[in-house]
Structures are given as structure tokens and as C-alpha cells.
Amino acid sequence: MKYLVYIFCFTVILSCNSKVEESDTKEEVSKAKVYDMYEPSEMANLMNEFYAENLKIKNEILAGNIPKEFPTDFLKIHTAELSNFKTRNAKFEAFSNLYIVAEQEVFNTESNIPVQERFNNAIGVCISCHQTECTGPIPRIQKLLIK
Ligand code: HEC
């Protein structure tokens, strides 16, 4: 049984790199299934929080509001535990720093760069890191970009 669980986890991790989601609904269904059986890592939970927070920020921007407060939870990217088999390598650290700097820029009220552009830049860092680590969620992350 233990052995089977290992195989299952391994499949989940592999799917992180190869899965290309066609639609949100399909993804939600497959996700619900997976979550019945394995505990998401602290990092996976944090990432889902990133997604939700950035969706809120996007809607604020589209409504013409200026996002004011940088969610300090974002800094947990430096400490959250990753799933098994994954380690924080130098690339991961570099992208984490880039991401935090880009996200902080979204909340820089002194900036001369349009807020949409700063927001898309931060989402661009999410995508860049995912290209090196975990390509599965990229189609979903791309939906955060403001067109
Ligand atoms: C520094 C690299 C890096 C950055 C930046 C990054 N991610 Fe991730 N993301 C990862 C890794 C690695 C995982 C896999 C985590 C694990 O399995 O422990 C992941 C997982 C995810 C997942 C899947 C979570 C799950 O339920 O399995 C989503 C969704 C996600 N990221 C969205 C985002 C969004 C949105 C952003 C930007 C706001 C972002 N990521 C920024 C590296 C990154």
C-alpha cells in the first residue's frame, strides 16, 4: 500500500511538468480528485493563495482602483516547504526575489509606469519561474494577465 502511495505521488509530481490544462472546469475536477488523496505542500497552498490574491488585484486594477497594501504573506515564498523531491535551488531563490520585487512594484504609488504594466510584469515572473520548475499551471496563470 505504501508502495502504491509512492507511485501515486510520483505520478502527481510528474504531472506537474507535463499536464496542460484545457479549461478551468476540467482542472477543478481533476484537482478535486487529487486532493482527496494527497496533502498539498505548504508551497502549493501558498501558490494557490498567490493566484487568488493576484486575481483580486487584477479586478481592483480593472475597476480603476490602485492596489494599496502589499500582502506580506507573499514573503512566505522564501520559507514555505516544497513538495517531496523538490528543493530550493539557486534558480528558485533568484526567481523568488524577482517575483517579490516585481509584486512590490505593483504597490508602488510613486511609479511612473502604468499599474497594468507593473502587474503584468509580476505575473510574467510567475510564468518565468514556472517555465523552469513546473509548467502545468502556466495556462491558468496566463489568464491573470491584463490584456
Ligand atoms: C520562484 C518560483 C515560482 C514563482 C515566482 C511562482 N511559482 Fe507557482 N509554483 C512554483 C513551484 C515550484 C510549484 C510547485 C509547488 C510544490 O509542488 O510544492 C508551484 C505551484 C503553483 C501552482 C499549483 C499549486 C497546486 O495546487 O499544486 C499554482 C496555481 C501556481 N504555482 C501559481 C503561481 C502564481 C499565480 C504565481 C505568481 C503570482 C506563481 N505561481 C509564482 C514555483 C513558482
Side-chain angles (χ1 to χ4, degrees):
M1 185 56 206
K2 212 171 174 190
Y3 189 61
L4 267 181
V5 169
Y6 282 136
I7 292 178
F8 183 74
C9 289
F10 194 56
T11 319
V12 168
I13 283 155
L14 280 182
S15 72
C16 182
N17 289 316
S18 54
K19 188 177 63 185
V20 174
E21 286 123 9
E22 260 123 48
S23 74
D24 272 345
T25 28
K26 198 173 162 199
E27 184 195 358
E28 290 314 318
V29 171
S30 64
K31 240 189 181 166
K33 240 192 281 168
V34 170
Y35 280 2
D36 283 346
M37 299 187 64
Y38 96 120
E39 190 70 23
S41 68
E42 201 187 339
M43 186 64 85
N45 284 333
L46 180 67
M47 288 288 159
N48 285 314
E49 205 184 303
F50 279 1
Y51 187 90
E53 277 299 325
N54 277 289
L55 189 59
K56 263 195 244 162
I57 297 168
K58 174 184 180 175
N59 289 333
E60 283 287 301
I61 294 173
L62 289 177
N65 300 324
I66 302 292
K68 282 191 207 79
E69 228 179 296
F70 173 77
T72 47
D73 269 9
F74 283 8
L75 299 173
K76 288 186 193 155
I77 194 168
H78 296 305
T79 52
E81 233 171 83
L82 291 152
S83 329
N84 298 342
F85 309 113
K86 289 208 188 84
T87 51
R88 316 184 102 75
N89 52 25
K91 227 192 251 167
F92 186 89
E93 290 300 341
F95 275 118
S96 303
N97 288 329
L98 272 178
Y99 170 65
I100 295 301
V101 169
E103 191 73 56
Q104 276 168 334
E105 263 313 288
V106 175
F107 297 86
N108 176 3
T109 49
E110 321 253 283
S111 175
N112 295 322
I113 301 165
V115 67
Q116 285 95 322
E117 218 172 287
R118 283 178 274 137
F119 177 80
N120 281 347
N121 188 29
I123 302 303
V125 182
C126 308
I127 295 168
S128 301
C129 187
H130 274 259
Q131 273 158 352
T132 69
E133 295 279 342
C134 167
T135 53
I138 290 178
R140 191 171 159 216
I141 300 173
Q142 278 169 336
K143 293 194 189 126
L144 287 173
L145 291 168
I146 298 175
K147 305 254 159 57

